[in-house]
Structures are given as C-alpha cells and as structure tokens.
Amino acid sequence: SVFCPVCSGSRSSKTFKPKKNIPEGSHQYELLKHAEATLGSGNLRMAVMLPEGEDLNEWVAVNTVDFFNQINMLYGTITDFCTEESCPVMSAGPKYEYHWADGTNIKKPIKCSAPKYIDYLMTWVQDQLDDETLFPSKIGVPFPKNFMSVAKTILKRLFRVYAHIYHQHFDPVIQLQEEAHLNTSFKHFIFFVQASEFNLIDRRELAPLQELIEKLTSKDR
C-alpha cells in the first residue's frame, strides 16, 4: 500500500502467500484507489469511512483483501524468525494462545506451532477471498447474506497475526526498520475494524494488544 517506506527493498517485498489482486478496471479497484488516495493524506480515521453512496459489503471486501496483502507481506519479512523451534505454540504473549480450527477440514481446535497456525490461517483466508460466491469481483453480482459474518471471522483471525508479530517478533521488526510500517498498517486496521459504522471485531478479541491500541489511537482522538 501507499504508506510502505520499505516495500521497495527486495527483502521486504517477499510475500508469504501469493498476493490477492483486485482486477484492474473493476469497481473494487476504483474503491481500492480511493482508499489509497485517502491514506496518502495521512488521516486514517477519514480513510476508513465508507465513501458516500458506496455499498458497505463492497467496501469491507476491498479493505479485507488489502489487509490480507499487508499482513501477508509483513509476516513474509519475518518468517525466518518464526519457526517450529522459536514458536512451538501460536501465542500473543504469555496469556493468549490460539488453537486452529476452520470448521470444515479441522473441526476440533488443534494446538500447533505459530508458523503452522499462520499457514493454516492465511491459506484459509486466501480460499475465502478466492471464492467468487463469497467475494464477488464482478459488478452486479450480489454479496451473500453471510458475507459480513465471514468478513468478521477473517478480520478476527488476521488480527492474531499482528498480535503474534508484536508479541513474539518485535525485535526483528526493529532490526529490519519496519516498525513504522507495521504500526501504520496495524493502526489503519484498528481504525477500520473499530469504526462505529462497521463494528467488525469484538473488543475482547483485541485484548492482547489493548495497550498498544490505546497508545496508537489516542493521538488521533
């Protein structure tokens, strides 16, 4: 996205999974360009607001794809540090541990290493984004009735990757000089999911990064 000072470097442009592209020329592409232009102004609260006359589902879809791509790239830069040995469980600090289940292939939550969990998670998200019945990219194709609940689950799970990076891998982020990029991306994510008109994540889910959220968002009240 527009605010990434380090993405041009070959090291940090590595993505963990294939990037999800919004088709050029589509209405969603125009929405993405609008979002990027507003982000460029530096006002993140304005950037997350639903543009006048736009469909809420479509706006949530475009931003969800964009956050998937951002987190994908951020995690891609630290995969060397997130290993079976360094992270035998998927955690966000000592109090929070996540077990994986997707409700279809893995119904009962399983305990697994962070790299394995994040691989499951990002593959699952990618499958949702690629499903045209869930995330239609063609104009005029309606979003399904359960779209918002799927989007909320995706965003809830993407948050866990941010939480893991902040809690377990912040030192390499600093070494790679990506702290500003991570903070901006996360702040944008938080403003989006907490916007009163969307209310996309339950506050309890955000507990592992509550102090950071308060610190990052208090400057913009």
Side-chain angles (χ1 to χ4, degrees):
S1 271
V2 285
F3 49 76
C4 172
V6 291
C7 305
S8 49
S10 60
R11 172 165 171 74
S12 55
S13 59
K14 171 178 127 185
T15 45
F16 167 61
K17 297 270 173 205
K19 194 165 183 277
K20 167 78 179 164
N21 288 318
I22 288 175
E24 228 170 302
S26 68
H27 184 60
Q28 289 186 11
Y29 187 79
E30 297 307 313
L31 274 180
L32 181 65
K33 288 284 155 255
H34 167 89
E36 286 180 351
T38 337
L39 279 171
S41 73
N43 186 334
L44 290 170
R45 280 202 192 280
M46 286 291 292
V48 301
M49 286 170 72
L50 178 67
E52 207 175 321
E54 292 298 345
D55 176 58
L56 178 61
N57 285 344
E58 199 148 35
W59 182 239
V60 169
V62 165
N63 281 278
T64 301
V65 169
D66 194 33
F67 287 124
F68 169 76
N69 286 337
Q70 287 182 44
I71 294 167
N72 197 2
M73 192 172 65
L74 283 161
Y75 182 71
T77 64
I78 56 107
T79 47
D80 295 349
F81 306 95
C82 186
T83 64
E84 301 280 329
E85 293 72 42
S86 69
C87 304
V89 294
M90 173 62 179
S91 64
K95 284 197 227 154
Y96 300 96
E97 188 180 304
Y98 300 112
H99 296 174
W100 178 254
D102 58 15
T104 45
N105 299 325
I106 300 172
K107 292 192 168 71
K108 194 173 176 220
I110 56 166
K111 190 170 176 169
C112 53
S113 68
K116 190 81 191 140
Y117 184 100
I118 294 171
D119 189 25
Y120 278 135
L121 188 158
M122 297 302 264
T123 302
W124 176 83
V125 173
Q126 206 173 10
D127 289 345
Q128 310 307 303
L129 301 181
D130 288 340
D131 184 344
E132 279 287 328
T133 63
L134 270 180
F135 279 77
S137 56
K138 294 178 181 66
I139 292 180
V141 177
F143 282 83
K145 287 192 170 55
N146 66 333
F147 171 75
M148 257 325 155
S149 70
V150 172
K152 285 178 178 181
T153 304
I154 291 172
L155 293 165
K156 174 180 81 176
R157 289 176 173 174
L158 288 176
F159 167 82
R160 295 170 181 177
V161 185
Y162 279 122
H164 180 72
I165 294 172
Y166 271 112
H167 277 284
Q168 311 300 130
H169 301 295
F170 200 59
D171 287 346
V173 166
I174 292 169
Q175 285 161 24
L176 294 164
Q177 297 180 310
E178 288 183 5
E179 186 183 354
H181 177 210
L182 174 65
N183 284 346
T184 308
S185 174
F186 181 60
K187 191 170 167 182
H188 178 204
F189 178 87
I190 286 301
F191 279 155
F192 187 73
V193 297
Q194 287 199 318
S196 54
E197 53 186 326
F198 314 144
N199 194 17
L200 294 163
I201 287 191
D202 190 307
R203 284 188 75 82
R204 285 170 309 186
E205 288 288 336
L206 303 174
L209 293 178
Q210 199 51 54
E211 279 175 42
L212 175 71
I213 290 167
E214 280 163 23
K215 194 170 128 194
L216 287 177
T217 57
S218 61
K219 298 185 190 86
D220 295 80
R221 291 219 165 96

